[in-house]
Protein backbone atom coordinates (compact mmCIF):
# COMPACT_ATOMS: atom_id res chain seq x y z
CA UNK A 1 0.00 0.00 0.00
CA UNK A 2 1.22 3.47 -0.83
CA UNK A 3 2.61 5.33 2.23
CA UNK A 4 0.30 8.31 1.71
CA UNK A 5 -2.72 6.01 1.63
CA UNK A 6 -1.50 4.30 4.81
CA UNK A 7 -1.48 7.71 6.51
CA UNK A 8 -5.06 8.42 5.44
CA UNK A 9 -6.41 5.01 6.49
CA UNK A 10 -5.15 4.99 10.07
CA UNK A 11 -7.69 3.54 12.55
CA UNK A 12 -7.58 6.68 14.70
CA UNK A 13 -8.89 8.73 11.78
CA UNK A 14 -11.65 6.21 11.17
CA UNK A 15 -12.79 6.45 14.78
CA UNK A 16 -13.27 10.19 14.45
CA UNK A 17 -14.83 9.89 11.00
CA UNK A 18 -17.53 7.44 12.09
CA UNK A 19 -18.08 8.92 15.56
CA UNK A 20 -18.77 12.41 14.24
CA UNK A 21 -20.82 11.09 11.32
CA UNK A 22 -22.97 9.32 13.92
CA UNK A 23 -23.16 12.46 16.07
CA UNK A 24 -24.23 14.55 13.08
CA UNK A 25 -27.27 12.33 12.58
CA UNK A 26 -28.66 12.99 16.06
CA UNK A 27 -27.18 15.98 17.83
CA UNK A 28 -28.31 18.84 15.52
CA UNK A 29 -31.80 17.36 15.12
CA UNK A 30 -32.53 16.56 18.75
CA UNK A 31 -33.92 20.06 19.47
CA UNK A 32 -36.11 19.87 16.36
CA UNK A 33 -37.44 16.48 17.42
CA UNK A 34 -38.07 17.52 21.03
CA UNK A 35 -39.68 20.79 19.98
CA UNK A 36 -42.80 18.85 19.04
CA UNK A 37 -43.20 17.77 22.67
CA UNK A 38 -42.18 20.93 24.56
CA UNK A 39 -42.58 24.66 24.15
CA UNK A 40 -39.53 26.86 23.58
CA UNK A 41 -38.88 27.68 27.24
CA UNK A 42 -39.24 24.03 28.32
CA UNK A 43 -36.97 22.92 25.49
CA UNK A 44 -34.40 25.54 26.45
CA UNK A 45 -34.44 24.37 30.06
CA UNK A 46 -34.10 20.71 29.09
CA UNK A 47 -31.27 21.26 26.61
CA UNK A 48 -29.48 23.74 28.88
CA UNK A 49 -29.69 21.29 31.78
CA UNK A 50 -28.31 18.56 29.50
CA UNK A 51 -25.25 20.68 28.59
CA UNK A 52 -24.64 21.55 32.25
CA UNK A 53 -24.95 17.88 33.17
CA UNK A 54 -22.40 16.95 30.50
CA UNK A 55 -19.97 19.60 31.70
CA UNK A 56 -20.31 18.36 35.28
CA UNK A 57 -20.13 14.64 34.51
CA UNK A 58 -17.19 14.46 32.08
CA UNK A 59 -14.61 15.13 34.83
CA UNK A 60 -16.40 12.68 37.14
CA UNK A 61 -16.12 9.89 34.58
CA UNK A 62 -12.47 10.77 33.96
CA UNK A 63 -11.72 10.69 37.68
CA UNK A 64 -13.43 7.30 38.01
CA UNK A 65 -11.46 5.94 35.06
CA UNK A 66 -8.16 7.17 36.48
CA UNK A 67 -8.87 6.17 40.07
CA UNK A 68 -10.70 2.89 39.63
CA UNK A 69 -10.88 0.62 36.63
CA UNK A 70 -9.36 2.38 33.66
CA UNK A 71 -10.86 4.01 30.62
CA UNK A 72 -12.03 0.89 28.75
CA UNK A 73 -14.80 -0.44 30.99
CA UNK A 74 -16.16 3.01 31.82
CA UNK A 75 -16.12 4.04 28.15
CA UNK A 76 -17.90 0.83 27.11
CA UNK A 77 -20.55 1.17 29.81
CA UNK A 78 -21.13 4.85 29.08
CA UNK A 79 -21.32 4.19 25.33
CA UNK A 80 -23.90 1.41 25.70
CA UNK A 81 -26.03 3.49 28.08
CA UNK A 82 -25.76 6.53 25.81
CA UNK A 83 -26.95 4.55 22.77
CA UNK A 84 -29.79 2.88 24.67
CA UNK A 85 -30.92 6.20 26.14
CA UNK A 86 -30.88 7.80 22.68
CA UNK A 87 -33.31 5.12 21.52
CA UNK A 88 -35.21 5.45 24.80
CA UNK A 89 -35.56 9.19 24.31
CA UNK A 90 -37.17 8.56 20.95
CA UNK A 91 -39.68 6.17 22.53
CA UNK A 92 -40.39 8.24 25.64
CA UNK A 93 -40.87 11.43 23.62
CA UNK A 94 -43.57 9.78 21.54
CA UNK A 95 -45.42 8.11 24.42
CA UNK A 96 -44.39 9.78 27.69
CA UNK A 97 -44.78 12.96 29.64
CA UNK A 98 -42.56 16.01 29.43
CA UNK A 99 -41.05 15.07 32.81
CA UNK A 100 -40.14 11.62 31.47
CA UNK A 101 -38.57 13.20 28.36
CA UNK A 102 -36.52 15.55 30.57
CA UNK A 103 -35.33 12.66 32.78
CA UNK A 104 -34.27 10.51 29.84
CA UNK A 105 -32.59 13.48 28.13
CA UNK A 106 -30.64 14.27 31.32
CA UNK A 107 -29.63 10.63 31.78
CA UNK A 108 -28.51 10.52 28.13
CA UNK A 109 -26.40 13.65 28.74
CA UNK A 110 -24.73 11.98 31.73
CA UNK A 111 -23.55 9.06 29.62
CA UNK A 112 -22.72 11.17 26.57
CA UNK A 113 -20.37 13.32 28.65
CA UNK A 114 -17.30 11.04 28.66
CA UNK A 115 -17.51 9.79 25.07
CA UNK A 116 -15.55 12.54 23.25
CA UNK A 117 -12.94 12.98 26.01
CA UNK A 118 -12.30 9.23 26.13
CA UNK A 119 -12.03 9.03 22.34
CA UNK A 120 -9.60 11.96 22.41
CA UNK A 121 -7.53 10.28 25.15
CA UNK A 122 -7.41 7.01 23.23
CA UNK A 123 -6.30 8.72 20.03
CA UNK A 124 -3.69 10.77 21.87
CA UNK A 125 -2.30 7.57 23.36
CA UNK A 126 -2.08 5.88 19.94
CA UNK A 127 -1.13 8.84 17.73
CA UNK A 128 0.27 11.59 19.95
CA UNK A 129 1.88 13.57 17.14
CA UNK A 130 -1.13 13.52 14.84
CA UNK A 131 -4.10 14.50 17.00
CA UNK A 132 -5.17 17.42 14.80
CA UNK A 133 -4.88 15.33 11.65
CA UNK A 134 -7.04 12.62 13.20
CA UNK A 135 -9.61 15.06 14.56
CA UNK A 136 -9.85 16.66 11.12
CA UNK A 137 -11.53 13.49 9.89
CA UNK A 138 -14.36 14.12 12.35
CA UNK A 139 -14.89 17.56 10.84
CA UNK A 140 -14.80 16.11 7.34
CA UNK A 141 -17.38 13.46 8.18
CA UNK A 142 -19.66 16.03 9.85
CA UNK A 143 -19.48 18.21 6.74
CA UNK A 144 -20.16 15.31 4.42
CA UNK A 145 -22.97 13.84 6.54
CA UNK A 146 -24.85 17.05 7.45
CA UNK A 147 -26.69 17.55 4.14
CA UNK A 148 -27.74 13.90 4.02
CA UNK A 149 -28.74 13.89 7.68
CA UNK A 150 -30.91 16.97 7.19
CA UNK A 151 -32.56 15.52 4.11
CA UNK A 152 -33.18 12.22 5.90
CA UNK A 153 -34.68 13.99 8.92
CA UNK A 154 -36.92 16.08 6.68
CA UNK A 155 -38.09 13.08 4.66
CA UNK A 156 -38.39 10.33 7.27
CA UNK A 157 -38.19 11.90 10.73
CA UNK A 158 -35.85 11.27 13.63
CA UNK A 159 -36.03 7.49 14.07
CA UNK A 160 -34.02 6.51 10.94
CA UNK A 161 -31.31 9.02 11.89
CA UNK A 162 -31.09 7.46 15.36
CA UNK A 163 -30.87 3.94 13.90
CA UNK A 164 -28.13 4.94 11.44
CA UNK A 165 -26.31 6.81 14.21
CA UNK A 166 -26.22 3.72 16.41
CA UNK A 167 -24.94 1.68 13.45
CA UNK A 168 -22.17 4.16 12.64
CA UNK A 169 -21.23 4.32 16.32
CA UNK A 170 -20.75 0.56 16.27
CA UNK A 171 -18.33 0.95 13.35
CA UNK A 172 -16.39 3.65 15.20
Amino acid sequence: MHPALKQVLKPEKGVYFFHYAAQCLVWPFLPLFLRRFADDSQLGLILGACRLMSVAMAPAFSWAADARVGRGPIFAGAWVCWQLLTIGLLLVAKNGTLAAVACVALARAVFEAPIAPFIDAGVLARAPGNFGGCRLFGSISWGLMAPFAGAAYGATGFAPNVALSVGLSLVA
Side-chain angles (χ1 to χ4, degrees):
M1 184 182 303
H2 192 276
L5 190 56
K6 271 186 179 178
Q7 279 298 102
V8 170
L9 297 177
K10 287 193 173 214
E12 298 84 15
K13 293 177 181 178
V15 167
Y16 278 116
F17 187 88
F18 288 107
H19 173 70
Y20 283 101
Q23 285 282 87
C24 184
L25 287 162
V26 172
W27 200 79
F29 304 103
L30 188 60
L32 294 174
F33 173 71
L34 292 177
R35 189 168 189 196
R36 297 185 297 181
F37 309 102
D39 66 33
D40 289 345
S41 62
Q42 293 166 330
L43 181 61
L45 286 171
I46 291 170
L47 294 175
C50 287
R51 290 302 110 216
L52 288 173
M53 185 67 72
S54 291
V55 167
M57 292 308 297
F61 276 103
S62 296
W63 174 83
D66 290 344
R68 302 285 179 226
V69 295
R71 205 171 42 237
I74 291 179
F75 174 79
W79 184 87
V80 168
C81 290
W82 174 51
Q83 295 300 328
L84 291 174
L85 286 164
T86 300
I87 296 166
L89 184 60
L90 183 69
L91 298 173
V92 169
K94 289 189 180 230
N95 304 314
T97 65
L98 183 60
V101 168
C103 288
V104 174
L106 284 169
R108 182 184 176 276
V110 166
F111 292 105
E112 181 183 15
I115 303 300
F118 282 0
I119 289 173
D120 289 346
V123 168
L124 280 170
R126 289 187 57 150
N130 196 20
F131 179 70
C134 294
R135 192 76 190 247
L136 174 66
F137 275 75
S139 297
I140 290 169
S141 71
W142 189 286
L144 292 173
M145 184 60 76
F148 299 109
Y153 180 84
T156 61
F158 196 53
N161 280 24
V162 170
L164 184 56
S165 174
V166 171
L168 287 173
S169 290
L170 286 170
V171 173

